[in-house]
Amino acid sequence: MTDTLGLLLTVAVTAANIDDRDAAAGLPMRLRRLHRDITLVWADGGYTGFLVGYCRDKLALTLERRRTRGNIVWA
């Protein structure tokens, strides 16, 4: 995860056969632990469903879906 300037906030390295959505499950928890002041996370369309509710209910984070072009999130 990066901030709006592209600076690294937290990272996960996984095997190539792990889906991004599955690997992302632990990142919001790490983000919350390291950066308590962050309340809003933007993600592309792949990170919806279970992760949205989990972030809201368990971590007090708002996960919003944003349109993307490639790997760039456009607000």
Side-chain angles (χ1 to χ4, degrees):
M1 294 180 136
T2 62
D3 65 9
T4 56
L5 297 175
L7 301 173
L8 190 63
L9 296 174
T10 185
V11 67
V13 178
T14 63
N17 65 339
I18 304 295
D19 185 61
D20 287 350
R21 247 181 295 185
D22 297 334
L27 285 176
M29 189 177 346
R30 256 187 262 157
L31 179 72
R32 172 51 72 213
R33 204 170 47 240
L34 295 170
H35 305 282
R36 304 268 303 135
D37 54 329
I38 294 176
T39 59
L40 174 64
V41 176
W42 291 333
D44 68 19
Y47 302 99
T48 58
F50 165 77
L51 201 53
V52 173
Y54 176 75
C55 286
R56 181 189 60 237
D57 298 340
K58 302 291 185 186
L59 303 174
L61 285 172
T62 300
L63 182 66
E64 285 186 4
R65 181 175 179 256
R66 296 291 179 166
R67 294 180 303 132
T68 60
R69 274 190 215 149
N71 292 327
I72 300 170
V73 177
W74 298 89

